[in-house]
Amino acid sequence: QVQLVESGGGLVQAGGSLRLSCAASGRTFSSGAMGWFRQAPGKEREFVAGIRWSNGITNYADSVKGRFTISRENAKNTVYLQMNGLLPEDTGVYYCAQTSTWMYGSRWYVQREYDYWGQGTQVTVSS
């Protein structure tokens, strides 16, 4: 069984920064990856960023490229999402997710590719 626990959310003014963490306990998959998704009020959950455990290859949604950085610390089974230049439209519940699949291309964006999900952490950006 895998448990994912997110932390680091909060309230920040537009232009500010937050760093989210996702700690994984239980089994991790060396060939797999971690992803961050978010869900804004009244909207579908969407992919934000992803990173492979093995080689650190990353992928980002166009809306966050240049502002968000995903990283991993394999020894701690932890993934981070550094969010800079936050905008009100970044507001939402942020979820981390783990997959055992070798992720590439459009697979990153498909939620059913991910096997485990965290409970989410709220990020609110005020204008």
Side-chain angles (χ1 to χ4, degrees), residues 29 31-34 52 98-104 107-108 112-115:
F29 304 96
S31 63
M34 297 290 289
R52 288 188 196 154
Q98 179 170 278
T99 175
S100 59
T101 303
W102 184 256
M103 300 298 273
Y104 59 92
R107 268 187 163 178
W108 288 105
R112 65 176 180 271
E113 293 282 0
Y114 295 81
D115 308 297

Short mmCIF file of all heavy atoms in Angstrom, two decimals, residues 29 31-34 52 98-104 107-108 112-115:
data_model
loop_
_atom_site.label_atom_id
_atom_site.label_comp_id
_atom_site.label_asym_id
_atom_site.label_seq_id
_atom_site.Cartn_x
_atom_site.Cartn_y
_atom_site.Cartn_z
N PHE A 29 7.96 3.02 -7.15
CA PHE A 29 8.26 2.31 -8.38
C PHE A 29 9.40 3.03 -9.10
O PHE A 29 9.22 4.13 -9.59
CB PHE A 29 7.02 2.25 -9.27
CG PHE A 29 5.83 1.63 -8.59
CD1 PHE A 29 4.87 2.41 -7.98
CD2 PHE A 29 5.68 0.26 -8.56
CE1 PHE A 29 3.78 1.85 -7.36
CE2 PHE A 29 4.58 -0.32 -7.94
CZ PHE A 29 3.63 0.48 -7.33
N SER A 31 10.65 2.61 -11.88
CA SER A 31 10.38 2.90 -13.30
C SER A 31 9.23 3.87 -13.47
O SER A 31 8.87 4.22 -14.58
CB SER A 31 10.04 1.61 -14.04
OG SER A 31 8.86 1.03 -13.50
N GLY A 32 8.66 4.30 -12.36
CA GLY A 32 7.47 5.13 -12.45
C GLY A 32 7.75 6.61 -12.29
O GLY A 32 8.86 7.09 -12.51
N ALA A 33 6.72 7.32 -11.88
CA ALA A 33 6.80 8.77 -11.83
C ALA A 33 5.81 9.32 -10.83
O ALA A 33 4.92 8.62 -10.35
CB ALA A 33 6.51 9.35 -13.21
N MET A 34 5.99 10.59 -10.54
CA MET A 34 5.06 11.33 -9.69
C MET A 34 4.51 12.50 -10.48
O MET A 34 5.21 13.11 -11.29
CB MET A 34 5.76 11.84 -8.44
CG MET A 34 6.29 10.76 -7.54
SD MET A 34 4.99 9.85 -6.71
CE MET A 34 4.40 11.09 -5.56
N ARG A 52 9.88 11.80 -13.49
CA ARG A 52 10.21 10.39 -13.36
C ARG A 52 11.14 10.18 -12.18
O ARG A 52 12.08 10.93 -11.98
CB ARG A 52 10.91 9.88 -14.63
CG ARG A 52 10.02 9.74 -15.84
CD ARG A 52 10.80 9.05 -16.95
NE ARG A 52 10.17 9.21 -18.24
CZ ARG A 52 10.84 9.17 -19.40
NH1 ARG A 52 12.16 8.98 -19.40
NH2 ARG A 52 10.21 9.30 -20.54
N GLN A 98 1.01 9.05 -7.82
CA GLN A 98 2.11 8.18 -8.18
C GLN A 98 1.66 7.15 -9.21
O GLN A 98 0.55 6.63 -9.11
CB GLN A 98 2.65 7.45 -6.94
CG GLN A 98 3.79 6.49 -7.26
CD GLN A 98 4.47 5.95 -6.03
OE1 GLN A 98 5.32 6.61 -5.44
NE2 GLN A 98 4.09 4.76 -5.62
N THR A 99 2.53 6.88 -10.16
CA THR A 99 2.25 5.87 -11.15
C THR A 99 3.43 4.93 -11.29
O THR A 99 4.58 5.34 -11.10
CB THR A 99 1.94 6.51 -12.53
OG1 THR A 99 1.79 5.47 -13.49
CG2 THR A 99 3.09 7.41 -12.98
N SER A 100 3.15 3.67 -11.61
CA SER A 100 4.21 2.70 -11.87
C SER A 100 4.57 2.66 -13.36
O SER A 100 5.47 1.94 -13.76
CB SER A 100 3.76 1.31 -11.42
OG SER A 100 2.58 0.93 -12.10
N THR A 101 3.88 3.45 -14.14
CA THR A 101 4.03 3.42 -15.58
C THR A 101 5.21 4.30 -16.02
O THR A 101 5.47 5.33 -15.42
CB THR A 101 2.75 3.93 -16.25
OG1 THR A 101 1.66 3.12 -15.82
CG2 THR A 101 2.86 3.89 -17.77
N TRP A 102 5.87 3.89 -17.12
CA TRP A 102 6.91 4.71 -17.74
C TRP A 102 6.20 5.83 -18.49
O TRP A 102 5.56 5.61 -19.49
CB TRP A 102 7.75 3.87 -18.69
CG TRP A 102 8.90 4.61 -19.29
CD1 TRP A 102 8.98 5.10 -20.57
CD2 TRP A 102 10.13 4.97 -18.64
NE1 TRP A 102 10.21 5.74 -20.75
CE2 TRP A 102 10.91 5.66 -19.58
CE3 TRP A 102 10.62 4.78 -17.35
CZ2 TRP A 102 12.18 6.15 -19.27
CZ3 TRP A 102 11.89 5.27 -17.05
CH2 TRP A 102 12.66 5.94 -18.00
N MET A 103 6.29 7.03 -17.95
CA MET A 103 5.50 8.15 -18.45
C MET A 103 6.23 8.91 -19.55
O MET A 103 7.42 9.20 -19.45
CB MET A 103 5.16 9.09 -17.30
CG MET A 103 4.37 8.44 -16.19
SD MET A 103 2.76 7.83 -16.77
CE MET A 103 1.80 9.31 -16.57
N TYR A 104 5.46 9.26 -20.57
CA TYR A 104 6.00 10.08 -21.65
C TYR A 104 4.82 10.70 -22.39
O TYR A 104 3.67 10.24 -22.29
CB TYR A 104 6.83 9.25 -22.63
CG TYR A 104 6.06 8.12 -23.27
CD1 TYR A 104 5.41 8.29 -24.50
CD2 TYR A 104 5.94 6.89 -22.64
CE1 TYR A 104 4.68 7.26 -25.06
CE2 TYR A 104 5.21 5.85 -23.20
CZ TYR A 104 4.60 6.05 -24.41
OH TYR A 104 3.86 5.02 -24.97
N ARG A 107 0.72 10.75 -21.92
CA ARG A 107 0.39 9.92 -20.75
C ARG A 107 0.39 10.71 -19.46
O ARG A 107 -0.36 10.43 -18.55
CB ARG A 107 1.39 8.76 -20.64
CG ARG A 107 0.98 7.51 -21.34
CD ARG A 107 1.93 6.39 -21.04
NE ARG A 107 1.36 5.11 -21.36
CZ ARG A 107 1.97 3.95 -21.22
NH1 ARG A 107 3.21 3.92 -20.75
NH2 ARG A 107 1.39 2.84 -21.55
N TRP A 108 1.28 11.69 -19.37
CA TRP A 108 1.39 12.49 -18.15
C TRP A 108 0.04 13.07 -17.73
O TRP A 108 -0.24 13.24 -16.57
CB TRP A 108 2.37 13.65 -18.35
CG TRP A 108 3.80 13.25 -18.42
CD1 TRP A 108 4.59 13.19 -19.53
CD2 TRP A 108 4.68 12.89 -17.33
NE1 TRP A 108 5.87 12.81 -19.21
CE2 TRP A 108 5.96 12.64 -17.88
CE3 TRP A 108 4.49 12.77 -15.95
CZ2 TRP A 108 7.04 12.25 -17.10
CZ3 TRP A 108 5.58 12.39 -15.16
CH2 TRP A 108 6.84 12.14 -15.75
N ARG A 112 -6.04 8.38 -15.15
CA ARG A 112 -6.17 6.95 -14.88
C ARG A 112 -4.83 6.22 -14.99
O ARG A 112 -4.73 5.06 -14.58
CB ARG A 112 -7.18 6.30 -15.83
CG ARG A 112 -6.80 6.30 -17.29
CD ARG A 112 -7.82 5.56 -18.13
NE ARG A 112 -7.46 5.55 -19.55
CZ ARG A 112 -7.83 6.48 -20.39
NH1 ARG A 112 -8.56 7.50 -19.98
NH2 ARG A 112 -7.48 6.41 -21.67
N GLU A 113 -3.81 6.92 -15.48
CA GLU A 113 -2.47 6.31 -15.51
C GLU A 113 -1.84 6.28 -14.11
O GLU A 113 -0.85 5.57 -13.90
CB GLU A 113 -1.54 7.09 -16.46
CG GLU A 113 -1.93 7.02 -17.92
CD GLU A 113 -1.53 5.70 -18.57
OE1 GLU A 113 -0.94 4.84 -17.89
OE2 GLU A 113 -1.80 5.54 -19.77
N TYR A 114 -2.38 7.04 -13.20
CA TYR A 114 -1.82 7.16 -11.86
C TYR A 114 -2.54 6.21 -10.91
O TYR A 114 -3.77 6.13 -10.90
CB TYR A 114 -1.92 8.61 -11.37
CG TYR A 114 -1.08 9.55 -12.20
CD1 TYR A 114 -1.56 10.04 -13.41
CD2 TYR A 114 0.19 9.94 -11.79
CE1 TYR A 114 -0.80 10.89 -14.20
CE2 TYR A 114 0.97 10.79 -12.56
CZ TYR A 114 0.47 11.26 -13.77
OH TYR A 114 1.24 12.10 -14.54
N ASP A 115 -1.74 5.51 -10.11
CA ASP A 115 -2.30 4.46 -9.25
C ASP A 115 -2.72 4.95 -7.87
O ASP A 115 -3.66 4.41 -7.27
CB ASP A 115 -1.23 3.35 -9.06
CG ASP A 115 -0.68 2.85 -10.37
OD1 ASP A 115 -1.48 2.29 -11.14
OD2 ASP A 115 0.53 3.01 -10.62
#
